[in-house]
Amino acid sequence: MTRAVEAEPPTAPRLALTAWPFTTAARAARNEERVRERAAGLAGRAALDDWLAETATRADQVLEGALPGRLVAAPAGPMALGDFLVTRCAELVVHSDDLARATGREVPLDRQALAACVRLLADALAARVPGASTEVRVPPYAVVQCVEGPRHTRGTPPNVVETDPLTWVRLAAGRTDWASERAAARISASGERADLSPYLPLLG
């Protein structure tokens, strides 16, 4: 992140925040390779703690006074700094949840980061499947309308999907699937256009 902010502002067209989730698949293999390289160079807990502390300090220094609208050379393409930071929150939430599930240990999620992640992924769904026939609710963080079809103007929409924040993140990130979560009653879906499985996952 700090390298992207420190580099000269790019001149290429700006990448929309809602387009970012659909760029992640192309970078997945390279990201995994970089993580493995970094892990190999951090022998032991002390080295990891030192690196994390140094990284946090450096990020604070780089971001101090930076304008949210400034373009930065993000891996996915030029982005506004504020948008780029939202993508960092999204990856933090997804991978923190991965870590918790892999280790069986509780990894506390920052409420604001979770909210940013949920809203981004909900907005990305609405961008991928534009329309107003289905309302997707992820309380308390997001409500979007999507999917082509008859538009409702008042009252309860004919097609409603509701789930909790972590289930939504896992669905959007491909960590679980629609059928499993419906069977576990972690998704409430009513209406003939309330099946979102054709549009998920959003992240690669």
Side-chain angles (χ1 to χ4, degrees):
M1 180 186 76
T2 54
R3 288 193 298 271
V5 178
E6 289 175 317
E8 285 296 315
T11 57
R14 167 180 165 178
L15 179 72
L17 178 58
T18 53
W20 172 82
F22 313 121
T23 71
T24 57
R27 300 192 310 280
R30 179 55 182 150
N31 287 344
E32 181 178 353
E33 181 182 341
R34 287 174 177 166
V35 168
R36 292 184 182 277
E37 290 172 354
R38 172 61 66 183
L42 296 172
R45 175 65 181 270
L48 175 60
D49 288 346
D50 289 345
W51 177 74
L52 289 173
E54 179 184 340
T55 300
T57 299
R58 184 65 184 145
D60 286 342
Q61 294 171 344
V62 169
L63 292 174
E64 185 177 3
L67 298 176
R70 176 185 183 271
L71 282 186
V72 297
M79 299 186 77
L81 175 58
D83 289 349
F84 181 49
L85 293 178
V86 171
T87 71
R88 301 306 85 208
C89 287
E91 291 204 354
L92 173 67
V93 168
V94 171
H95 296 306
S96 293
D97 185 49
D98 287 344
L99 181 62
R101 299 171 79 190
T103 62
R105 300 179 63 181
E106 183 177 352
V107 178
L109 292 175
D110 180 86
R111 184 178 175 85
Q112 289 183 321
L114 179 60
C117 179
V118 167
R119 289 172 187 143
L120 166 57
L121 296 174
D123 288 344
L125 174 68
R128 168 175 272 188
V129 197
S133 70
T134 302
E135 187 164 283
V136 179
R137 303 169 179 171
V138 191
Y141 299 128
V143 177
V144 297
Q145 293 186 349
C146 59
V147 184
E148 288 186 353
R151 177 188 294 270
H152 71 277
T153 56
R154 65 180 183 176
T156 301
N159 306 284
V160 177
V161 174
E162 184 167 327
T163 189
D164 63 276
L166 268 182
T167 298
W168 171 241
V169 169
R170 291 168 183 168
L171 283 165
R175 271 48 175 186
T176 187
D177 63 85
W178 182 265
S180 298
E181 299 307 319
R182 281 297 308 272
R186 284 187 284 267
I187 298 172
S188 169
S190 61
E192 62 181 17
R193 290 182 172 83
D195 182 359
L196 300 182
S197 59
Y199 319 120
L200 300 171
L202 303 173
L203 296 173

